[in-house]
Amino acid sequence: MKVILAYSGGLDTSVMIKWLQEKYGAEVVTVTLDVGQGEDLALIEERARKLGVVEHYSIDAKEEFVENYVFPAVKANAMYEGKYPVSTALSRPLIAKKLVEVAEKHGADAVAHGCTGKGNDQVRIEVAVRSLNPDLKVIAPVREWGLTREAEIEYARKHGVPVEERRSIYSVDQNLWGRSIECGPLEDPAEEPPEEIFEWTLPLREAPDQPGYVSIKFERGVPVELNGERLDGVSLIARLNKLAGMHGVGRIDHVEDRLVGIKSREVYECPAALCILEAHRDLEKLVLTKHELMFKELVDREWAHLVYTGLWADPLREDLEAFINSCEDRVEGEVRLKLFKGSLIVVGRSSPYSLYEHSLATYGAESRFDQSWSKGFIELWGLQSMTARWKKRRKEA
Ligand code: ARG
């Protein structure tokens, strides 16, 4: 039996290599994706090989991640429950896709992942894998092995899996679009997250005492320039993470509804995502009509919900994207943000497709808005509402 394992290099998936070899007598092939998590892939590969995998793949998937997953999320203003930029969620269908590619290349029987049975990620990976290749089996060792933390470490020691002395008590997942942090003291939603969990954002008291300005230029709904410099998506996001993080911008503390019904306390650091999403939404307000904006809000929410709940594969996502992309044709222009001690404020925007007409909006003498139009308009606009109110009052009298 041959199994393709999504390998992070951490303790769980390292133990998994041994467990799959022992329990299933499997030949294990490991796959690690670089989605901008900032880890040493060579080191991870070395670790996997030491544990006796028959093959290992290190895949640089940063560009694909940004172009095909993050950018659609930007166009959809994707924020689950209004707060979480679905950063972890976006990487899962891509990981699944790569697992399936490697599995097909090797004629493997199954793919395996390190997700627990309590979270969203198991759903995201398995629905994605099975919709790409229904013949592949999926093994989720954490759901099967029933090991406590202590038993797992014991198993690791017995099987020669290196266990770091100072292991973090937190569970962290990161990629270019953000950092998700769970467990330990964070499990008490009443308590402020300890400073030690943050790595991408400075504490407010250490952030610069002068505000910083960032300008982001968008074309067809996606960011293409940062402070006047044209950059590819990966570099732009990486640079903005640093810039905004330095001002303490990007922290999110969220009580979130998981797909499996659990409410959980999640902490995120998403400096670039928060800046880009805020700027993008602002630019849409400048160029889209009120009617487009109202309808798009519904479409956007549905898009984020599908992606969060593991249904990247559902054709509805592409149906929604057809509408979204049609709007995004005109989402072009520049937005200026002011960053200061954790706050993020849009302070200016411009676009060749702007619907803002100075000659209409101005209170100055050059106004070409004829105020006499409003008199009749108000009568018609309020007609039914006023009539209903009059009748109601008569009945009550
Ligand atoms: N709650 C987030 C989600 O479901 C993040 C999960 C991240 N996992 C972690 N190991 N911290 O997308």
Side-chain angles (χ1 to χ4, degrees):
M1 174 173 192
K2 200 174 238 181
V3 180
I4 315 298
L5 170 68
Y7 185 62
S8 72
L11 181 69
D12 283 349
T13 51
S14 295
V15 166
M16 240 161 253
I17 296 177
K18 289 290 158 202
W19 192 82
L20 289 166
Q21 290 165 343
E22 198 179 56
K23 160 127 197 250
Y24 286 88
E27 289 189 338
V28 180
V29 175
T30 38
V31 177
T32 307
L33 261 61
D34 183 357
V35 281
Q37 68 270 45
E39 267 167 322
D40 186 345
L41 258 67
L43 212 91
I44 293 175
E45 165 155 8
E46 193 188 310
R47 211 173 289 166
R49 294 204 185 270
K50 273 198 189 131
L51 293 167
V53 300
V54 297
E55 190 53 81
H56 175 88
Y57 292 86
S58 294
I59 303 171
D60 181 355
K62 294 196 290 293
E63 194 184 323
E64 194 175 349
F65 179 55
V66 168
E67 296 287 329
N68 299 343
Y69 298 82
V70 173
F71 279 177
V74 172
K75 294 194 253 186
N77 299 305
M79 276 284 193
Y80 178 65
E81 296 187 322
K83 271 206 135 166
Y84 165 45
V86 295
S87 41
T88 292
L90 286 171
S91 70
R92 300 321 190 200
L94 177 57
I95 292 171
K97 179 169 172 256
K98 297 295 172 193
L99 288 176
V100 171
E101 280 170 17
V102 173
E104 287 173 351
K105 183 168 165 210
H106 279 264
D109 308 277
V111 302
H113 62 73
C115 308
T116 73
K118 296 178 75 170
N120 302 311
D121 288 330
Q122 52 174 346
V123 184
R124 296 167 182 153
I125 290 186
E126 291 181 33
V127 173
V129 166
R130 295 191 33 74
S131 55
L132 288 168
N133 186 337
D135 296 328
L136 278 171
K137 278 205 276 299
V138 182
I139 306 174
V142 179
R143 284 198 310 238
E144 280 182 32
W145 67 24
L147 290 177
T148 62
R149 260 299 184 236
E150 297 70 37
E152 186 183 352
I153 289 171
E154 174 69 31
Y155 184 96
R157 293 228 160 86
K158 216 172 93 197
H159 291 82
V161 178
V163 181
E164 281 170 45
E165 280 315 312
R166 284 174 39 84
R167 290 192 47 247
S168 166
I169 49 171
Y170 302 103
S171 160
V172 178
D173 175 73
Q174 54 193 42
N175 62 50
L176 273 164
W177 205 229
R179 215 175 149 252
S180 311
I181 315 128
E182 295 174 305
C183 299
L186 301 178
E187 287 179 356
D188 182 352
E191 288 303 314
E192 182 174 351
E195 198 52 50
E196 63 174 15
I197 67 166
F198 298 107
E199 289 185 4
W200 290 9
T201 53
L202 280 183
L204 302 190
R205 91 186 93 76
E206 286 172 35
D209 292 321
Q210 291 304 317
Y213 287 87
V214 176
S215 75
I216 306 174
K217 184 172 174 203
F218 291 83
E219 279 172 17
R220 290 178 178 253
V222 301
V224 293
E225 269 182 28
L226 187 63
N227 294 332
E229 190 181 343
R230 198 158 187 103
L231 294 168
D232 63 275
V234 173
S235 316
L236 189 148
I237 293 168
R239 215 179 279 183
L240 188 51
N241 269 329
K242 291 235 157 61
L243 246 159
M246 191 187 81
H247 284 280
V249 167
R251 296 184 181 187
I252 301 164
D253 184 337
H254 187 211
V255 174
E256 183 171 300
D257 289 289
R258 282 194 196 158
L259 181 50
V260 295
I262 299 171
K263 277 200 189 285
S264 71
R265 198 285 187 86
E266 309 273 333
V267 178
Y268 303 102
E269 290 184 286
C270 307
L274 290 191
C275 292
I276 291 171
L277 291 170
E278 183 71 17
H280 179 264
R281 252 192 322 249
D282 192 274
L283 186 57
E284 280 191 341
K285 289 203 156 190
L286 190 66
V287 302
L288 299 182
T289 68
K290 170 185 170 180
H291 309 287
E292 288 178 300
L293 288 170
M294 280 174 64
F295 191 73
K296 189 164 183 297
E297 222 175 281
L298 305 175
V299 173
D300 288 350
R301 190 196 308 182
E302 187 60 35
W303 193 95
H305 187 256
L306 273 180
V307 171
Y308 182 86
T309 58
L311 301 182
W312 180 269
D314 197 289
L316 177 59
R317 180 182 53 80
E318 282 153 329
D319 301 336
L320 300 173
E321 283 173 7
F323 167 80
I324 291 171
N325 286 331
S326 161
C327 296
E328 297 301 294
D329 264 351
R330 282 169 291 143
V331 181
E332 182 175 324
E334 193 145 348
V335 180
R336 242 157 72 85
L337 300 167
K338 185 174 179 174
L339 313 176
F340 181 59
K341 297 236 179 243
S343 81
L344 155 66
I345 308 168
V346 175
V347 292
R349 73 289 279 162
S350 63
S351 166
Y353 300 107
S354 171
L355 301 181
Y356 179 91
E357 290 289 341
H358 183 262
S359 61
L360 292 178
T362 182
Y363 285 98
E366 66 281 25
S367 169
R368 55 176 191 84
F369 185 92
D370 184 343
Q371 299 197 27
S372 70
W373 297 338
S374 291
K375 190 170 178 298
F377 165 76
I378 294 165
E379 285 304 317
L380 299 184
W381 173 247
L383 189 59
Q384 284 201 3
S385 310
M386 293 187 293
T387 309
R389 186 52 67 183
W390 295 331
K391 297 243 156 149
K392 201 160 177 257
R393 210 168 32 239
R394 206 170 311 149
K395 187 166 167 253
E396 283 159 4

